Amino acid sequence: MKTAYISHPDCFKHNMGPYHPESPHRLTAIENALHTSQLWPHLYHYDAPLACIEQLACVHTPSYIESILATSPTTGQVALDADTSMNPHTLNAALRAAGAAILATDLVLTGEMDNAFCAIRPPGHHAESERAMGFCLFNNVAVGSAHAIEQHHLQRIAILDFDVHHGNGTEEIFHANPHVMLCSIFQHPFYPYCDASSTTDRMINVPLPRGSDGKAFRQAIIDHWLPPLTLFQPQMIFVSAGFDAHRDDDMSQLLLNDDDYAWISQQIRTIADRYAQGRIVSVLEGGYEPESLGRCVTAHIRSLLTDQNSITDQ
Ligand SMILES: [Zn+2]
């Protein structure tokens, strides 16, 4: 398989302070793990371009985009919400994070790559059409999905979100869009404290109580994600890939382990191969414990790289 790995040095320069969990060290941990695992040379490496205003405007309001551009500081930090801020490098990092999803979508839909992983920050799935929150400025996975619909004319996109937090921004952006199914699984009640019910038959919310382990996680995926995906038959899969439900990550109280991340990644491959010609664009969201983040992203990318014939269907 040809797997693109899309990142950019600007994404390392966005920094919200020395004690903030969403730190540049996350990307360093991922790169180190990919080198250690010897997957690095098997990936096709791309620099993320800057998303343009028109691409962002498919999912964000013009006034919101203008406010982010106007807020970008030349020195110091500016707070956007209680836990999200901008330094002088944040704007470019955020534009490249969204641009990575655009490039990944183009690479996969032109057939140049089979699939792609965007190793970017800031993350995106909490960002709503006109609100930054929860470490997120632009909704990267939504920007890529809208690009696939509007520029490549796909009719059915599935966004699979296994971050431990509810992808409220993605839901807010796409809840009325008939071209998009969002399957989300998350700890509940938990940040961002939104309604966890499934508001339409395309917005599939699967809340898990604190303390849930991999067994409960896997069963919930089998029971609540796979049937609607089978009905919807997506033409392309986007992934909001968050690794903060790991038992070693103190951001949450779910108890997944490395094998659970390998399992969900293989499930996504199976769904993509069955319905979507294998087309997957995976975009980094959360994951704040460097060791488990590095290992689980490696397992995730190994599933993207591996020929499905050699994967055991679990
Ligand atoms: Zn998260």
Side-chain angles (χ1 to χ4, degrees):
M1 299 293 286
K2 292 170 81 170
T3 297
Y5 182 89
I6 306 173
S7 189
H8 195 279
D10 286 350
C11 294
F12 291 74
K13 296 176 185 169
H14 162 55
N15 197 323
M16 296 188 284
Y19 304 108
H20 200 292
E22 206 290 277
S23 84
H25 300 304
R26 300 175 61 231
L27 295 182
T28 307
I30 290 170
E31 289 195 357
N32 289 343
L34 289 169
H35 282 292
T36 302
S37 68
Q38 302 189 348
L39 291 187
W40 186 261
H42 296 283
L43 299 166
Y44 292 80
H45 294 268
Y46 293 85
D47 273 346
L50 299 165
C52 67
I53 304 298
E54 292 74 19
Q55 291 166 334
L56 298 174
C58 292
V59 304
H60 294 290
T61 61
S63 61
Y64 173 69
I65 297 166
E66 282 168 23
S67 77
I68 292 294
L69 297 178
T71 303
S72 180
T74 51
T75 60
Q77 300 269 344
V78 179
L80 299 175
D81 82 348
D83 49 26
T84 313
S85 63
M86 299 181 77
N87 76 356
H89 302 288
T90 300
L91 177 60
N92 271 5
L95 292 172
R96 293 200 188 277
I102 297 272
L103 173 61
T105 301
D106 287 338
L107 289 170
V108 169
L109 284 174
T110 57
E112 192 170 336
M113 289 286 132
D114 293 307
N115 50 45
F117 182 78
C118 301
I120 49 78
R121 51 185 293 282
H125 74 153
H126 293 306
E128 298 184 345
S129 56
E130 48 190 355
R131 180 159 70 141
M133 60 181 282
F135 318 161
C136 302
L137 277 76
F138 300 127
N139 195 314
N140 309 311
V141 80
V143 171
S145 299
H147 183 71
I149 294 164
E150 298 190 15
Q151 297 299 316
H152 295 276
H153 310 296
L154 294 196
Q155 296 293 310
R156 296 183 308 284
I157 300 288
I159 302 172
L160 309 182
D161 185 334
F162 58 76
D163 189 278
V164 79
H165 302 97
H166 178 210
N168 61 292
T170 314
E171 177 164 352
E172 185 263 345
I173 287 166
F174 287 132
H175 75 276
N177 188 323
H179 302 296
V180 180
M181 171 173 280
L182 169 64
C183 296
S184 193
I185 188 165
F186 48 88
Q187 180 175 326
H188 184 77
F190 199 42
Y191 185 88
Y193 305 103
C194 297
D195 182 2
S197 58
S198 297
T199 50
T200 77
D201 58 3
R202 292 174 298 94
M203 295 289 123
I204 311 299
N205 285 325
V206 183
L208 293 175
R210 60 185 293 154
S212 298
D213 61 8
K215 187 163 182 275
F217 175 85
R218 295 185 193 201
Q219 195 62 49
I221 295 286
I222 291 167
D223 290 345
H224 301 294
W225 278 21
L226 300 187
L229 286 166
T230 298
L231 285 174
F232 189 65
Q233 302 205 354
Q235 296 166 295
M236 183 168 181
I237 304 290
F238 284 81
V239 184
S240 269
F243 300 86
D244 41 6
H246 197 284
R247 59 177 59 232
D248 293 346
D249 195 321
D250 63 11
M251 182 65 75
S252 77
Q253 291 79 43
L254 294 194
L255 302 172
L256 302 198
N257 60 29
D258 294 19
D259 288 344
D260 298 315
Y261 283 103
W263 179 86
I264 184 65
S265 301
Q266 290 173 12
Q267 292 295 315
I268 291 168
R269 269 298 302 276
T270 301
I271 294 161
D273 285 358
R274 191 168 293 159
Y275 302 115
Q277 302 173 45
R279 299 186 289 213
I280 300 170
V281 167
S282 181
V283 183
L284 182 66
E285 300 285 359
Y288 303 98
E289 196 286 308
E291 296 297 324
S292 59
L293 175 65
R295 291 193 313 270
C296 293
V297 169
T298 299
H300 182 64
I301 288 179
R302 182 172 278 119
S303 288
L304 296 179
L305 272 171
T306 305
D307 194 308
Q308 183 75 347
N309 293 331
S310 63
I311 293 176
T312 307
D313 204 358
Q314 297 178 44

